[in-house]
Amino acid sequence: MEKLGKLAYDMGRLWSHYWPSYLTGIRNTLILAVCCTLLGCIIGLACGVLNTIPVSKNAPLPKRFFLGLLRAVIRIYVEVFRGTPMVLQAVFIYYGLPYFSGGQIAFSGYEGIWQASLLVVSINTGAYMAESVRGGIISIDPGQTEGAKAIGMTHVQTMVNVILPQALRNIIPQIGNNLIINIKDTSVMFVIGFVEFFATHRNIVGVNNLYFPSAAIEMIGYLTLTLIASFLLRLLERVMDGSDHYELIQADQLTPTAGTYTHPGKQKGRRAR
């Protein structure tokens, strides 16, 4: 108990002295994680859609060659950024681009550190989201694509109006996972000088050497952020699911009159409770 009391005292002392720095680190972490998750979703959506464009054997040779090349490039991108640590990706992009470009591409100042961090985390997230989007698209019943084509929809119309709305709901949990991962993994950006929550902890520890009390504050902070993110994402899922009680209205006089319908799975869960 004495040790716990001392830990609580040291944590309170650190927070009372450095709470503005901790909050700044939390703010930077959240901004970077949210922005990069959104950008990564856009990248992943583009890659996932391009990977699922159907190509028949009777298609023109230039089209087959172009799509084959595009898919090869996407595959290399996905494998490289999923198969290497983000900390090394940050080093290669922040220090490697100026090295190979002879200084023409450089990230100068703290603004440059922000730009490099956004770039690294976004393309890393995009590599994971590309496979999630592809999986979400191919998980949709092929009969829906066939039905859309049967009523004259083009491939773009089918994707926008039929497939993607359903695929988006299917990949919402993966988007949430990536957001939570980014909240934690942005901590590796300290290697290029980005001052987020973990870098703030390192700076404070360098002044007072109270490593474990500061680490405990970090642990509580990250856990709080991820729990809030999980709660908000589950709330979003429930909103997208809509109500479990539907009113069926028939305009045609020859069909049965209006009635109600309750989702059987949700009704079963309700009875169990």
Side-chain angles (χ1 to χ4, degrees):
M1 292 298 295
E2 181 181 352
K3 293 292 185 181
L4 288 177
K6 185 176 186 307
L7 174 62
Y9 172 77
D10 288 338
M11 289 172 63
R13 188 155 57 93
L14 281 175
W15 182 260
S16 64
H17 282 83
Y18 299 106
W19 66 266
S21 298
Y22 283 118
L23 291 182
T24 299
I26 291 174
R27 181 199 65 191
N28 291 345
T29 292
L30 284 176
I31 292 174
L32 185 62
V34 172
C35 290
C36 291
T37 301
L38 292 175
L39 291 173
C41 287
I42 295 173
I43 296 171
L45 180 63
C47 293
V49 170
L50 290 173
N51 258 335
T52 54
I53 295 176
V55 183
S56 65
K57 294 181 179 179
N58 298 326
L61 180 60
K63 178 181 179 180
R64 284 184 290 155
F65 174 79
F66 176 74
L67 287 177
L69 178 62
L70 189 61
R71 288 175 179 174
V73 171
I74 293 174
R75 173 53 57 189
I76 293 171
Y77 155 64
V78 169
E79 294 301 332
V80 168
F81 281 91
R82 288 199 312 171
T84 55
M86 190 189 294
V87 63
L88 291 180
Q89 294 167 15
V91 171
F92 269 74
I93 289 178
Y94 186 75
Y95 297 105
L97 288 181
Y99 179 83
F100 286 106
S101 66
Q104 295 181 4
I105 302 177
F107 302 98
S108 59
Y110 195 63
E111 181 180 349
I113 294 174
W114 264 99
Q115 294 170 353
S117 300
L118 284 168
L119 179 62
V120 172
V121 183
S122 296
I123 59 180
N124 181 276
T125 304
Y128 285 92
M129 284 306 305
E131 289 299 288
S132 299
V133 172
R134 187 181 69 85
I137 291 174
I138 64 177
S139 69
I140 305 301
D141 186 354
Q144 300 200 32
T145 302
E146 295 171 3
K149 290 181 178 178
I151 62 174
M153 281 189 174
T154 64
H155 177 71
V156 174
Q157 290 173 327
T158 301
M159 291 297 296
V160 173
N161 298 296
V162 179
I163 304 300
L164 286 181
Q166 300 177 74
L168 178 62
R169 173 59 187 87
N170 291 343
I171 64 175
I172 282 292
Q174 186 58 40
I175 294 175
N177 286 340
N178 281 323
L179 174 60
I180 291 172
I181 289 171
N182 284 342
I183 289 175
K184 297 180 296 181
D185 285 1
T186 50
S187 59
V188 303
M189 291 300 108
F190 79 89
V191 74
I192 61 174
F194 184 75
V195 182
E196 38 67 58
F197 196 25
F198 184 74
T200 301
H201 153 70
R202 289 171 56 88
N203 293 339
I204 291 173
V205 168
V207 174
N208 51 50
N209 293 324
L210 294 175
Y211 196 96
F212 185 69
S214 182
I217 293 174
E218 291 282 307
M219 183 74 74
I220 294 171
Y222 277 117
L223 182 60
T224 301
L225 293 177
T226 55
L227 289 176
I228 292 173
S230 297
F231 171 78
L232 293 177
L233 288 163
R234 289 195 180 95
L235 181 62
L236 176 61
E237 288 181 24
R238 288 197 293 270
V239 171
M240 293 188 69
D241 285 341
S243 174
D244 61 349
H245 194 70
Y246 306 92
E247 183 177 358
L248 304 179
I249 300 177
Q250 304 291 343
D252 192 339
Q253 298 296 326
L254 298 178
T255 58
T257 57
T260 58
Y261 172 77
T262 300
H263 192 284
K266 297 184 177 180
Q267 181 69 11
K268 181 178 180 181
R270 180 181 298 150
R271 289 174 181 171
R273 290 194 295 272

